[in-house]
Amino acid sequence: MERTLSRYLRLATWGLPKKKKLEIQQELLGNIEILSLEYQVQGMNKTEALQAALLDFGKPERVCAGMTKVYIMPIILRNLGLAALLSSLGIGILSSSTAQIIASVTGRLPINTCNDGQTDAVEIGKAWIPCEGNYGVWIHLPSLKASLEPLGVKVTTNTKNPWLETTFNFPDAKKPLVIKHKDNQNLPVQNEQVKVSPGYVRAIDFFEKLNSIGLPITLSGWNTTKIGVGNTKFQLNSTNNTVSSEMLYFSALKNIFWRDLETTKSSDSLYTVRNWEQHTLSGAAYPHQISVRNVNPENILVIVSREKMLMQNNDLVTMRVYRISRPNSAREIQFYSRSDTINFLKKDFSALKPDEVINTSEIIVKKFTNRLDKNSFEIIPAKDIRILTK
Amino acid sequence: MPDNHLLKGNLDLILLSILEQSEMYGLEITKEVQAQSNDYFKFSLGSLYPALHRLEQAGQISGEFRTPPRGGSPVKYYQLTENGKKALSNKRAEFEAFNSAIRNLWNAR
């Protein structure tokens, strides 16, 4: 009996700071004892009474999860803030998950990929470089090849024009993944970059092609995202740099919009995926979202084509929830954005002249909000939420 | 039993309201809430304690270990702080305004 109780208390306070752990154990113990005594008064023996009391208290993991949110999350948030600050100062922090790296992919930023002053960076040791705008995330193909080949992926390139066409054959895939530079012609800057720096592929193109090779795709983690392509697993970071992979999540999540806005493909709606890609929330909010009704938001499961993708819920960020639905539709999408995004949305864009250039993001927001107004989409800011639970 | 979201959204209001009456420990709170609401509210004890600690961290309630009247291990008694009283007053006003607005909608039919 003692063991049952101490195990319960231990599990209920697992991972908490020692002082807090002892305090909460003491509190729970006192209350469990009282409830247990009450059951004994009703005729149960000690063992039965304790079991009944513990049953009433529910799973210890649930208590633990609740206490973790109260006592651990704020610490993590503070540390994340510190890490971001150090990172912005150029001080790298060694990833704690380095030991789990299956294959690191390194790369460099093609010249002029970004338009925000980070232009001439080279060899900065990141596989994925987030820049302003949605298209500044590239992967270095030679690095990818070097990482994937030891995992059994056969990678071939055109010998006459290396990297202008690259083929990846993943084990058990129904068809190869072929990257051609001519696939990336929808932005002038990309064409320029391809001419200057062949050997790069836009992250979103790479991932979308992954979806078509007939293997289940999994993503887990945010800054040190592990990608699973069938049984092949690799990680998007180098040993001393974490990397953000919002484009991967975005690429997968747009399928939700097709499904939940009740369109089967983008051409069925004015609100094409293209539109979604362009509004500013795609960069700022999607990575931290997303819960579609009827989907368990604790470990968000989203459907990527016919495959499953697991996105770890980011419950470290205080967010707002928006609900979007078509008029008269029973279905809706909820998505979550950080408060800074909300403030951005609150700006008065009505004063903007049609062609006035403030910056790309603001114009995109203006277009987005106009679209919402004109087409009767509902956008309902709800209460701040801190965490998603069942 | 109310909808889970409804309960969760008003949990703080419920806890602050019950503690406004007198100081109580966790188990006592669930029992009082259940009794006074004619069994409408039934808390899972597992989610009650984190909620109490969250309110305590927010400075709205404070806790103190004491031995209960019947003896045994000490339990943590919670009571409203001044901040908690203000928070309760705000939450109550919010709730009443919301309730009133909904009733207006129904009455407009």
Short mmCIF file of all heavy atoms in Angstrom, two decimals, chain A residues 8 20 23-24 26-31 33-35 37-38 53 56-59 62-63 66-67 70-71 383 386 389-390, chain B residues 4-5 8-9 25-28 31 44-47 49-50 52-54 56-57 65 68 70 72-76 78 94:
data_model
loop_
_atom_site.label_atom_id
_atom_site.label_comp_id
_atom_site.label_asym_id
_atom_site.label_seq_id
_atom_site.Cartn_x
_atom_site.Cartn_y
_atom_site.Cartn_z
N TYR A 8 2.48 6.77 -6.71
CA TYR A 8 1.54 7.77 -7.23
C TYR A 8 2.13 9.18 -7.04
O TYR A 8 2.14 10.00 -7.96
CB TYR A 8 0.20 7.66 -6.49
CG TYR A 8 -0.86 8.58 -7.06
CD1 TYR A 8 -1.76 8.13 -8.01
CD2 TYR A 8 -0.93 9.92 -6.66
CE1 TYR A 8 -2.71 8.97 -8.56
CE2 TYR A 8 -1.88 10.77 -7.20
CZ TYR A 8 -2.77 10.29 -8.14
OH TYR A 8 -3.71 11.15 -8.69
N LYS A 20 9.51 22.10 -4.81
CA LYS A 20 8.10 22.09 -5.22
C LYS A 20 7.55 20.67 -5.20
O LYS A 20 6.41 20.42 -4.80
CB LYS A 20 8.01 22.69 -6.63
CG LYS A 20 6.68 23.23 -7.03
CD LYS A 20 6.01 24.07 -6.01
CE LYS A 20 6.55 25.48 -5.85
NZ LYS A 20 5.76 26.25 -4.86
N GLU A 23 6.68 19.71 -1.69
CA GLU A 23 5.50 20.45 -1.24
C GLU A 23 4.22 19.87 -1.83
O GLU A 23 3.23 19.67 -1.11
CB GLU A 23 5.65 21.93 -1.66
CG GLU A 23 4.50 22.80 -1.22
CD GLU A 23 4.48 24.13 -1.96
OE1 GLU A 23 5.57 24.71 -2.21
OE2 GLU A 23 3.38 24.58 -2.31
N ILE A 24 4.26 19.57 -3.12
CA ILE A 24 3.05 19.04 -3.77
C ILE A 24 2.76 17.62 -3.28
O ILE A 24 1.61 17.24 -3.07
CB ILE A 24 3.19 19.11 -5.30
CG1 ILE A 24 3.26 20.56 -5.75
CG2 ILE A 24 2.03 18.40 -6.00
CD1 ILE A 24 3.68 20.78 -7.17
N GLN A 26 3.38 16.50 -0.39
CA GLN A 26 2.80 16.67 0.94
C GLN A 26 1.32 17.03 0.85
O GLN A 26 0.47 16.51 1.55
CB GLN A 26 3.58 17.76 1.70
CG GLN A 26 3.08 18.03 3.10
CD GLN A 26 3.28 16.83 4.02
OE1 GLN A 26 4.39 16.36 4.19
NE2 GLN A 26 2.20 16.32 4.57
N GLU A 27 1.03 17.94 -0.07
CA GLU A 27 -0.35 18.38 -0.24
C GLU A 27 -1.24 17.24 -0.71
O GLU A 27 -2.33 17.01 -0.16
CB GLU A 27 -0.41 19.53 -1.26
CG GLU A 27 -1.82 20.01 -1.52
CD GLU A 27 -1.88 21.18 -2.50
OE1 GLU A 27 -0.86 21.45 -3.17
OE2 GLU A 27 -2.96 21.80 -2.59
N LEU A 28 -0.75 16.51 -1.72
CA LEU A 28 -1.54 15.39 -2.23
C LEU A 28 -1.72 14.33 -1.17
O LEU A 28 -2.82 13.78 -0.99
CB LEU A 28 -0.86 14.79 -3.48
CG LEU A 28 -0.84 15.70 -4.72
CD1 LEU A 28 -0.02 15.06 -5.83
CD2 LEU A 28 -2.26 15.98 -5.21
N LEU A 29 -0.64 14.04 -0.46
CA LEU A 29 -0.70 13.00 0.59
C LEU A 29 -1.80 13.33 1.60
O LEU A 29 -2.61 12.48 1.94
CB LEU A 29 0.66 12.89 1.29
CG LEU A 29 0.72 11.94 2.48
CD1 LEU A 29 0.52 10.51 2.01
CD2 LEU A 29 2.05 12.07 3.21
N GLY A 30 -1.81 14.55 2.08
CA GLY A 30 -2.81 14.96 3.08
C GLY A 30 -4.22 14.74 2.56
O GLY A 30 -5.09 14.20 3.26
N ASN A 31 -4.47 15.14 1.31
CA ASN A 31 -5.81 15.02 0.75
C ASN A 31 -6.17 13.57 0.44
O ASN A 31 -7.32 13.16 0.64
CB ASN A 31 -5.91 15.88 -0.53
CG ASN A 31 -6.04 17.36 -0.22
OD1 ASN A 31 -7.13 17.88 -0.05
ND2 ASN A 31 -4.91 18.05 -0.14
N GLU A 33 -5.08 10.97 2.02
CA GLU A 33 -5.33 10.32 3.32
C GLU A 33 -6.75 10.60 3.80
O GLU A 33 -7.44 9.70 4.28
CB GLU A 33 -4.34 10.83 4.37
CG GLU A 33 -3.01 10.10 4.32
CD GLU A 33 -2.05 10.56 5.42
OE1 GLU A 33 -2.46 11.41 6.27
OE2 GLU A 33 -0.92 10.10 5.41
N ILE A 34 -7.18 11.84 3.66
CA ILE A 34 -8.53 12.19 4.12
C ILE A 34 -9.59 11.42 3.33
O ILE A 34 -10.51 10.82 3.88
CB ILE A 34 -8.77 13.71 3.98
CG1 ILE A 34 -7.88 14.47 4.94
CG2 ILE A 34 -10.24 14.06 4.23
CD1 ILE A 34 -7.93 15.98 4.78
N LEU A 35 -9.41 11.43 2.01
CA LEU A 35 -10.38 10.73 1.17
C LEU A 35 -10.38 9.24 1.46
O LEU A 35 -11.43 8.59 1.52
CB LEU A 35 -10.05 11.00 -0.31
CG LEU A 35 -11.10 10.57 -1.34
CD1 LEU A 35 -12.45 11.20 -1.05
CD2 LEU A 35 -10.65 10.96 -2.75
N LEU A 37 -9.59 7.80 4.26
CA LEU A 37 -10.28 7.57 5.54
C LEU A 37 -11.79 7.57 5.37
O LEU A 37 -12.50 6.77 5.98
CB LEU A 37 -9.89 8.67 6.54
CG LEU A 37 -8.61 8.44 7.33
CD1 LEU A 37 -8.26 9.67 8.14
CD2 LEU A 37 -8.78 7.22 8.25
N GLU A 38 -12.26 8.48 4.53
CA GLU A 38 -13.71 8.53 4.29
C GLU A 38 -14.23 7.23 3.68
O GLU A 38 -15.30 6.76 4.03
CB GLU A 38 -14.04 9.72 3.39
CG GLU A 38 -13.90 11.05 4.10
CD GLU A 38 -14.07 12.25 3.19
OE1 GLU A 38 -14.39 12.05 2.00
OE2 GLU A 38 -13.86 13.37 3.67
N ALA A 53 -9.47 6.06 -3.42
CA ALA A 53 -9.08 7.47 -3.32
C ALA A 53 -8.19 7.86 -4.50
O ALA A 53 -8.37 8.92 -5.12
CB ALA A 53 -8.34 7.71 -2.00
N ASP A 56 -10.12 8.38 -7.58
CA ASP A 56 -10.77 9.69 -7.60
C ASP A 56 -9.80 10.81 -7.98
O ASP A 56 -10.19 11.79 -8.60
CB ASP A 56 -11.37 10.03 -6.22
CG ASP A 56 -12.64 9.25 -5.96
OD1 ASP A 56 -13.09 8.53 -6.88
OD2 ASP A 56 -13.18 9.33 -4.84
N PHE A 57 -8.55 10.63 -7.57
CA PHE A 57 -7.57 11.66 -7.89
C PHE A 57 -7.16 11.62 -9.36
O PHE A 57 -6.60 12.58 -9.88
CB PHE A 57 -6.33 11.53 -6.99
CG PHE A 57 -6.45 12.34 -5.74
CD1 PHE A 57 -7.34 11.97 -4.74
CD2 PHE A 57 -5.72 13.51 -5.57
CE1 PHE A 57 -7.48 12.74 -3.59
CE2 PHE A 57 -5.86 14.29 -4.43
CZ PHE A 57 -6.74 13.90 -3.44
N GLY A 58 -7.45 10.53 -10.02
CA GLY A 58 -7.13 10.43 -11.44
C GLY A 58 -5.68 10.06 -11.67
O GLY A 58 -4.91 9.89 -10.74
N LYS A 59 -5.34 9.97 -12.93
CA LYS A 59 -3.99 9.53 -13.28
C LYS A 59 -2.95 10.52 -12.75
O LYS A 59 -3.09 11.73 -12.93
CB LYS A 59 -3.85 9.41 -14.79
CG LYS A 59 -4.62 8.25 -15.37
CD LYS A 59 -4.32 8.12 -16.85
CE LYS A 59 -5.04 6.89 -17.39
NZ LYS A 59 -4.85 6.74 -18.84
N ARG A 62 -1.58 13.09 -15.12
CA ARG A 62 -2.38 14.28 -15.40
C ARG A 62 -2.03 15.40 -14.42
O ARG A 62 -1.92 16.56 -14.81
CB ARG A 62 -3.86 13.91 -15.30
CG ARG A 62 -4.74 15.00 -15.81
CD ARG A 62 -6.15 14.53 -15.95
NE ARG A 62 -6.99 15.63 -16.38
CZ ARG A 62 -8.30 15.57 -16.42
NH1 ARG A 62 -8.92 14.48 -16.09
NH2 ARG A 62 -9.00 16.62 -16.79
N VAL A 63 -1.88 15.01 -13.17
CA VAL A 63 -1.47 16.02 -12.17
C VAL A 63 -0.11 16.57 -12.57
O VAL A 63 0.14 17.78 -12.56
CB VAL A 63 -1.38 15.38 -10.77
CG1 VAL A 63 -0.97 16.43 -9.74
CG2 VAL A 63 -2.70 14.74 -10.38
N GLY A 66 -0.23 18.98 -15.42
CA GLY A 66 -0.75 20.28 -14.98
C GLY A 66 0.28 21.07 -14.21
O GLY A 66 0.47 22.27 -14.41
N MET A 67 0.97 20.39 -13.30
CA MET A 67 1.99 21.07 -12.50
C MET A 67 3.18 21.51 -13.36
O MET A 67 3.79 22.55 -13.11
CB MET A 67 2.47 20.15 -11.37
CG MET A 67 1.41 19.86 -10.33
SD MET A 67 0.83 21.38 -9.52
CE MET A 67 -0.29 20.69 -8.29
N VAL A 70 2.52 24.72 -14.84
CA VAL A 70 2.59 25.83 -13.88
C VAL A 70 4.04 26.16 -13.52
O VAL A 70 4.41 27.34 -13.46
CB VAL A 70 1.79 25.49 -12.60
CG1 VAL A 70 1.92 26.61 -11.57
CG2 VAL A 70 0.32 25.27 -12.93
N TYR A 71 4.85 25.13 -13.31
CA TYR A 71 6.17 25.39 -12.74
C TYR A 71 7.34 25.24 -13.71
O TYR A 71 8.39 25.81 -13.49
CB TYR A 71 6.40 24.48 -11.53
CG TYR A 71 5.48 24.82 -10.38
CD1 TYR A 71 4.47 23.97 -9.99
CD2 TYR A 71 5.61 26.04 -9.73
CE1 TYR A 71 3.62 24.29 -8.95
CE2 TYR A 71 4.76 26.38 -8.69
CZ TYR A 71 3.77 25.51 -8.30
OH TYR A 71 2.92 25.86 -7.28
N LYS A 383 -10.29 34.11 -26.72
CA LYS A 383 -9.47 34.40 -25.55
C LYS A 383 -8.04 33.91 -25.74
O LYS A 383 -7.81 32.97 -26.48
CB LYS A 383 -10.04 33.68 -24.33
CG LYS A 383 -11.19 34.40 -23.69
CD LYS A 383 -11.53 33.68 -22.41
CE LYS A 383 -12.55 34.47 -21.61
NZ LYS A 383 -12.87 33.81 -20.35
N ARG A 386 -3.24 29.34 -23.42
CA ARG A 386 -1.86 29.02 -23.12
C ARG A 386 -1.49 27.63 -23.58
O ARG A 386 -0.35 27.33 -23.84
CB ARG A 386 -1.60 29.12 -21.62
CG ARG A 386 -1.75 30.54 -21.11
CD ARG A 386 -1.37 30.65 -19.68
NE ARG A 386 0.03 30.30 -19.48
CZ ARG A 386 0.56 30.15 -18.28
NH1 ARG A 386 -0.20 30.29 -17.23
NH2 ARG A 386 1.81 29.84 -18.15
N THR A 389 -5.39 21.35 -24.60
CA THR A 389 -5.58 20.01 -24.04
C THR A 389 -6.88 19.46 -24.54
O THR A 389 -7.66 20.17 -25.14
CB THR A 389 -5.63 20.06 -22.49
OG1 THR A 389 -6.63 20.98 -22.12
CG2 THR A 389 -4.31 20.48 -21.92
N LYS A 390 -7.09 18.21 -24.28
CA LYS A 390 -8.33 17.60 -24.74
C LYS A 390 -9.52 18.29 -24.11
O LYS A 390 -9.44 18.66 -22.97
CB LYS A 390 -8.37 16.14 -24.34
CG LYS A 390 -7.58 15.28 -25.29
CD LYS A 390 -7.67 13.84 -24.80
CE LYS A 390 -6.73 12.96 -25.61
NZ LYS A 390 -6.70 11.61 -25.09
N ASN B 4 -17.20 20.49 -21.21
CA ASN B 4 -15.85 20.57 -20.68
C ASN B 4 -15.18 21.92 -20.92
O ASN B 4 -14.52 22.48 -20.05
CB ASN B 4 -15.00 19.48 -21.35
CG ASN B 4 -14.24 18.69 -20.32
OD1 ASN B 4 -14.30 18.99 -19.12
ND2 ASN B 4 -13.52 17.69 -20.76
N HIS B 5 -15.40 22.45 -22.12
CA HIS B 5 -14.78 23.74 -22.45
C HIS B 5 -15.37 24.86 -21.59
O HIS B 5 -14.67 25.77 -21.17
CB HIS B 5 -15.00 24.06 -23.93
CG HIS B 5 -14.23 23.16 -24.83
ND1 HIS B 5 -12.86 23.22 -24.95
CD2 HIS B 5 -14.63 22.16 -25.62
CE1 HIS B 5 -12.46 22.31 -25.80
NE2 HIS B 5 -13.51 21.64 -26.22
N LYS B 8 -13.91 24.52 -18.18
CA LYS B 8 -12.51 24.94 -18.17
C LYS B 8 -12.40 26.46 -18.26
O LYS B 8 -11.60 27.07 -17.58
CB LYS B 8 -11.79 24.28 -19.34
CG LYS B 8 -10.30 24.20 -19.15
CD LYS B 8 -9.68 23.38 -20.25
CE LYS B 8 -9.78 21.90 -19.99
NZ LYS B 8 -9.09 21.10 -21.00
N GLY B 9 -13.25 27.04 -19.10
CA GLY B 9 -13.21 28.48 -19.28
C GLY B 9 -13.61 29.25 -18.03
O GLY B 9 -13.28 30.43 -17.88
N TYR B 25 -9.17 23.38 1.81
CA TYR B 25 -8.12 22.60 1.13
C TYR B 25 -8.73 21.93 -0.09
O TYR B 25 -9.96 21.92 -0.26
CB TYR B 25 -7.47 21.60 2.08
CG TYR B 25 -8.39 20.64 2.78
CD1 TYR B 25 -8.76 19.44 2.18
CD2 TYR B 25 -8.89 20.93 4.05
CE1 TYR B 25 -9.61 18.55 2.82
CE2 TYR B 25 -9.74 20.04 4.69
CZ TYR B 25 -10.10 18.86 4.09
OH TYR B 25 -10.94 17.99 4.72
N GLY B 26 -7.88 21.37 -0.93
CA GLY B 26 -8.31 20.90 -2.25
C GLY B 26 -9.54 20.01 -2.25
O GLY B 26 -10.53 20.29 -2.94
N LEU B 27 -9.48 18.95 -1.48
CA LEU B 27 -10.59 18.00 -1.47
C LEU B 27 -11.89 18.67 -1.01
O LEU B 27 -12.97 18.42 -1.55
CB LEU B 27 -10.23 16.85 -0.52
CG LEU B 27 -11.15 15.64 -0.50
CD1 LEU B 27 -11.20 14.99 -1.87
CD2 LEU B 27 -10.65 14.62 0.53
N GLU B 28 -11.72 19.54 -0.04
CA GLU B 28 -12.88 20.26 0.50
C GLU B 28 -13.48 21.16 -0.59
O GLU B 28 -14.71 21.29 -0.68
CB GLU B 28 -12.37 21.13 1.66
CG GLU B 28 -13.38 21.47 2.70
CD GLU B 28 -12.73 22.23 3.87
OE1 GLU B 28 -11.54 22.60 3.77
OE2 GLU B 28 -13.42 22.44 4.88
N LYS B 31 -15.63 19.14 -2.97
CA LYS B 31 -16.89 18.72 -2.35
C LYS B 31 -17.86 19.87 -2.21
O LYS B 31 -19.05 19.73 -2.47
CB LYS B 31 -16.61 18.13 -0.96
CG LYS B 31 -15.98 16.76 -1.05
CD LYS B 31 -15.77 16.22 0.33
CE LYS B 31 -15.22 14.81 0.26
NZ LYS B 31 -14.86 14.29 1.55
N SER B 44 -12.47 16.98 -11.63
CA SER B 44 -11.48 15.92 -11.54
C SER B 44 -10.40 16.45 -10.59
O SER B 44 -9.88 17.55 -10.78
CB SER B 44 -10.90 15.64 -12.92
OG SER B 44 -9.54 15.38 -12.82
N LEU B 45 -10.11 15.65 -9.58
CA LEU B 45 -9.11 16.12 -8.61
C LEU B 45 -7.76 16.36 -9.27
O LEU B 45 -7.00 17.23 -8.89
CB LEU B 45 -8.98 15.10 -7.48
CG LEU B 45 -10.14 15.12 -6.48
CD1 LEU B 45 -10.18 13.84 -5.66
CD2 LEU B 45 -10.01 16.32 -5.57
N GLY B 46 -7.49 15.52 -10.28
CA GLY B 46 -6.20 15.64 -10.98
C GLY B 46 -6.01 16.99 -11.63
O GLY B 46 -4.90 17.46 -11.78
N SER B 47 -7.11 17.61 -12.06
CA SER B 47 -6.95 18.92 -12.70
C SER B 47 -7.14 20.06 -11.71
O SER B 47 -6.79 21.20 -11.98
CB SER B 47 -7.92 19.06 -13.87
OG SER B 47 -9.23 18.86 -13.41
N TYR B 49 -5.76 20.45 -8.60
CA TYR B 49 -4.54 20.93 -7.92
C TYR B 49 -3.67 21.82 -8.81
O TYR B 49 -3.22 22.88 -8.36
CB TYR B 49 -3.77 19.75 -7.33
CG TYR B 49 -4.53 19.12 -6.18
CD1 TYR B 49 -5.33 18.01 -6.38
CD2 TYR B 49 -4.51 19.70 -4.93
CE1 TYR B 49 -6.07 17.47 -5.35
CE2 TYR B 49 -5.26 19.17 -3.88
CZ TYR B 49 -6.04 18.05 -4.10
OH TYR B 49 -6.78 17.54 -3.07
N PRO B 50 -3.44 21.43 -10.07
CA PRO B 50 -2.69 22.36 -10.93
C PRO B 50 -3.38 23.71 -11.06
O PRO B 50 -2.72 24.75 -11.08
CB PRO B 50 -2.63 21.63 -12.27
CG PRO B 50 -2.74 20.19 -11.93
CD PRO B 50 -3.66 20.14 -10.74
N LEU B 52 -5.25 25.17 -8.83
CA LEU B 52 -5.01 25.92 -7.59
C LEU B 52 -3.60 26.50 -7.56
O LEU B 52 -3.38 27.65 -7.17
CB LEU B 52 -5.23 25.00 -6.38
CG LEU B 52 -6.68 24.61 -6.09
CD1 LEU B 52 -6.76 23.51 -5.04
CD2 LEU B 52 -7.49 25.83 -5.64
N HIS B 53 -2.65 25.69 -8.00
CA HIS B 53 -1.26 26.18 -8.00
C HIS B 53 -1.07 27.31 -9.01
O HIS B 53 -0.28 28.22 -8.78
CB HIS B 53 -0.31 25.02 -8.28
CG HIS B 53 -0.07 24.18 -7.06
ND1 HIS B 53 1.15 24.11 -6.44
CD2 HIS B 53 -0.91 23.42 -6.33
CE1 HIS B 53 1.05 23.32 -5.38
NE2 HIS B 53 -0.19 22.88 -5.29
N ARG B 54 -1.79 27.22 -10.12
CA ARG B 54 -1.70 28.30 -11.10
C ARG B 54 -2.22 29.59 -10.51
O ARG B 54 -1.61 30.66 -10.65
CB ARG B 54 -2.50 27.90 -12.34
CG ARG B 54 -2.48 28.92 -13.46
CD ARG B 54 -3.08 28.37 -14.74
NE ARG B 54 -4.33 27.66 -14.55
CZ ARG B 54 -5.51 28.24 -14.29
NH1 ARG B 54 -5.57 29.56 -14.20
NH2 ARG B 54 -6.60 27.53 -14.13
N GLU B 56 -2.34 30.30 -7.41
CA GLU B 56 -1.41 30.71 -6.35
C GLU B 56 -0.20 31.43 -6.96
O GLU B 56 0.23 32.48 -6.46
CB GLU B 56 -0.93 29.48 -5.56
CG GLU B 56 -0.14 29.86 -4.32
CD GLU B 56 0.36 28.64 -3.56
OE1 GLU B 56 0.58 27.58 -4.21
OE2 GLU B 56 0.56 28.74 -2.34
N GLN B 57 0.29 30.87 -8.07
CA GLN B 57 1.41 31.52 -8.75
C GLN B 57 1.03 32.91 -9.24
O GLN B 57 1.85 33.81 -9.30
CB GLN B 57 1.87 30.67 -9.94
CG GLN B 57 2.63 29.42 -9.57
CD GLN B 57 3.96 29.72 -8.91
OE1 GLN B 57 4.09 29.58 -7.69
NE2 GLN B 57 4.94 30.17 -9.67
N PHE B 65 0.06 25.26 4.86
CA PHE B 65 -0.12 23.90 5.38
C PHE B 65 -0.56 23.95 6.84
O PHE B 65 0.06 24.62 7.66
CB PHE B 65 1.20 23.12 5.28
CG PHE B 65 1.42 22.53 3.91
CD1 PHE B 65 2.23 23.17 2.98
CD2 PHE B 65 0.80 21.34 3.54
CE1 PHE B 65 2.41 22.63 1.72
CE2 PHE B 65 0.98 20.79 2.28
CZ PHE B 65 1.79 21.44 1.37
N PRO B 68 -5.49 19.26 9.52
CA PRO B 68 -6.94 19.40 9.51
C PRO B 68 -7.53 19.03 10.87
O PRO B 68 -6.88 18.33 11.65
CB PRO B 68 -7.39 18.41 8.43
CG PRO B 68 -6.30 17.42 8.34
CD PRO B 68 -5.04 18.12 8.70
N ARG B 70 -9.52 16.87 11.88
CA ARG B 70 -9.60 15.46 12.23
C ARG B 70 -8.22 14.82 12.44
O ARG B 70 -8.11 13.64 12.69
CB ARG B 70 -10.38 14.70 11.17
CG ARG B 70 -9.65 14.58 9.85
CD ARG B 70 -10.45 13.77 8.85
NE ARG B 70 -11.58 14.53 8.35
CZ ARG B 70 -12.42 14.06 7.43
NH1 ARG B 70 -12.28 12.85 6.97
NH2 ARG B 70 -13.39 14.82 6.99
N GLY B 72 -4.12 13.80 11.32
CA GLY B 72 -3.46 13.23 10.14
C GLY B 72 -2.45 14.18 9.53
O GLY B 72 -2.05 15.17 10.16
N SER B 73 -2.03 13.87 8.32
CA SER B 73 -1.03 14.71 7.65
C SER B 73 -1.59 16.10 7.40
O SER B 73 -2.79 16.25 7.16
CB SER B 73 -0.63 14.08 6.32
OG SER B 73 -0.07 12.82 6.52
N PRO B 74 -0.71 17.09 7.41
CA PRO B 74 -1.19 18.45 7.14
C PRO B 74 -1.69 18.58 5.70
O PRO B 74 -1.22 17.87 4.81
CB PRO B 74 0.04 19.34 7.37
CG PRO B 74 1.20 18.43 7.41
CD PRO B 74 0.72 17.07 7.71
N VAL B 75 -2.63 19.46 5.50
CA VAL B 75 -3.13 19.75 4.15
C VAL B 75 -2.94 21.24 3.88
O VAL B 75 -2.79 22.04 4.81
CB VAL B 75 -4.62 19.37 3.97
CG1 VAL B 75 -4.81 17.87 3.95
CG2 VAL B 75 -5.48 20.02 5.05
N LYS B 76 -3.00 21.58 2.62
CA LYS B 76 -2.75 22.97 2.26
C LYS B 76 -4.09 23.70 2.14
O LYS B 76 -4.92 23.36 1.29
CB LYS B 76 -2.00 23.03 0.93
CG LYS B 76 -1.43 24.38 0.58
CD LYS B 76 -0.53 24.24 -0.64
CE LYS B 76 0.05 25.58 -1.05
NZ LYS B 76 0.88 25.45 -2.25
N TYR B 78 -6.22 26.93 1.21
CA TYR B 78 -6.11 28.07 0.29
C TYR B 78 -7.08 29.16 0.69
O TYR B 78 -8.20 28.88 1.14
CB TYR B 78 -6.43 27.63 -1.14
CG TYR B 78 -5.40 26.72 -1.74
CD1 TYR B 78 -5.57 25.34 -1.70
CD2 TYR B 78 -4.25 27.23 -2.34
CE1 TYR B 78 -4.63 24.49 -2.26
CE2 TYR B 78 -3.30 26.38 -2.89
CZ TYR B 78 -3.50 25.02 -2.84
OH TYR B 78 -2.56 24.19 -3.39
N GLU B 94 -17.48 40.15 -15.87
CA GLU B 94 -17.38 39.64 -17.25
C GLU B 94 -18.43 38.58 -17.50
O GLU B 94 -19.11 38.58 -18.53
CB GLU B 94 -16.01 38.97 -17.45
CG GLU B 94 -14.91 39.89 -17.93
CD GLU B 94 -13.57 39.16 -17.98
OE1 GLU B 94 -13.55 37.94 -18.20
OE2 GLU B 94 -12.54 39.83 -17.78
#
